[in-house]
Amino acid sequence: DTEVTQTPKHLVMGMTNKKSLKCEQHMGHRAMYWYKQKAKKPPELMFVYSYEKLSINESVPSRFSPECPNSSLLNLHLHALQPEDSALYLCASSPLGSGRNTGELFFGEGSRLTVL
Amino acid sequence: DAKTTQPPSMDCAEGRAANLPCNHSTISGNEYVYWYRQIHSQGPQYIIHGLKNNETNEMASLIITEDRKSSTLILPHATLRDTAVYYCIVRVVGGSEKLVFGKGMKLTVNP
């Protein structure tokens, strides 16, 4: 299994809603990432988890709350979002550990979020 | 991360080789050159990476200049499905360092 699976593929939410994006991989990767991508722009890094611990937060607003409950799952909890947060949210994973870490990231297909 | 410079766009005829250039004049000795591509509405896809030697896999070849200040990704026989945005990225390997995307280059393969 070489896939990173993201759900839902599409999400529409109001500014007062609470929702979550989910990412799952079964490749034994111990680094997981969230990226945000606006239309016609490159992906922007949001968070990095390493061995289930948050290692990088790119000054993301607190209305985005990541969670890594185990080595296979990564969630992004959304609360009180703004219309400008509408974007494609991409999850990625990569192996860690000597001999395994080629630096390659495996990306999911993304969750397209629309905030009304 | 060291920055990279790519032309914003390039066209290529189907069946011909596509040579995608990238400049990375401030690359450090421990930084690798990575290439990813993103087909419309899909997640980015890893293509190839290298340190200083030329590399080849089933998708492409990577040619890195001797001074490592530039590289070229070669798609030997471009197809319509190769139309995508191609990102050249430099980063160290080890741990969970950031993978930071630049603006990339839009390759359009024409029939």
Side-chain angles (χ1 to χ4, degrees):
Chain A
D1 184 358
T2 58
E3 286 190 347
V4 175
T5 303
Q6 291 188 245
T7 55
K9 292 192 187 312
H10 300 274
L11 177 63
V12 179
M13 62 185 290
M15 290 188 285
T16 59
N17 291 159
K18 284 186 181 181
K19 297 286 185 183
S20 297
L21 305 180
K22 180 180 173 181
C23 174
E24 192 167 4
Q25 57 87 14
H26 296 286
M27 295 178 279
H29 293 172
R30 302 303 295 276
M32 297 188 77
Y33 307 73
W34 280 115
Y35 284 81
K36 172 182 176 179
Q37 187 173 27
K38 303 281 280 184
K40 299 188 185 302
K41 298 290 186 183
E44 296 177 22
L45 182 66
M46 300 175 73
F47 302 104
V48 181
Y49 272 82
S50 176
Y51 296 105
E52 295 86 70
K53 295 199 183 311
L54 184 65
S55 59
I56 296 175
N57 177 342
E58 292 287 273
S59 302
V60 178
S62 60
R63 58 185 184 270
F64 295 91
S65 176
E67 178 197 21
C68 190
N70 60 56
S71 59
S72 299
L73 284 175
L74 183 67
N75 298 320
L76 186 62
H77 303 298
L78 315 170
H79 174 54
L81 295 193
Q82 304 296 312
E84 57 265 29
D85 296 321
S86 298
L88 181 68
Y89 288 84
L90 293 160
C91 174
S93 70
S94 68
L96 290 176
S98 60
R100 298 197 66 207
N101 190 352
T102 63
E104 176 185 351
L105 269 64
F106 294 74
F107 283 84
E109 294 301 306
S111 293
R112 188 162 299 281
L113 173 67
T114 302
V115 182
L116 301 176
Chain B
D1 287 356
K3 293 187 175 180
T4 62
T5 304
Q6 301 175 255
S9 64
M10 177 180 289
D11 281 15
C12 176
E14 188 178 21
R16 304 297 293 268
N19 297 301
L20 287 64
C22 180
N23 287 321
H24 30 79
S25 58
T26 60
I27 191 171
S28 300
N30 62 344
E31 288 182 313
Y32 287 68
V33 180
Y34 283 80
W35 283 84
Y36 282 76
R37 73 180 182 184
Q38 188 172 23
I39 296 169
H40 182 61
S41 295
Q42 296 184 19
Q45 175 190 26
Y46 164 84
I47 300 173
I48 198 167
H49 75 282
L51 183 62
K52 53 184 178 181
N53 298 321
N54 297 339
E55 302 287 344
T56 296
N57 63 20
E58 65 277 5
M59 290 182 68
S61 295
L62 174 61
I63 309 298
I64 302 173
T65 58
E66 194 167 343
D67 63 6
R68 301 207 328 120
K69 293 185 177 182
S70 66
S71 60
T72 302
L73 179 74
I74 301 172
L75 307 179
H77 305 287
T79 71
L80 299 179
R81 289 174 295 180
D82 292 321
T83 292
V85 177
Y86 286 76
Y87 296 98
C88 171
I89 302 165
V90 294
R91 72 189 290 248
V92 298
V93 173
S96 55
E97 289 80 7
K98 309 177 191 183
L99 185 76
V100 178
F101 289 84
K103 295 180 180 179
M105 187 200 79
K106 176 65 183 294
L107 173 69
T108 302
V109 180
N110 299 305

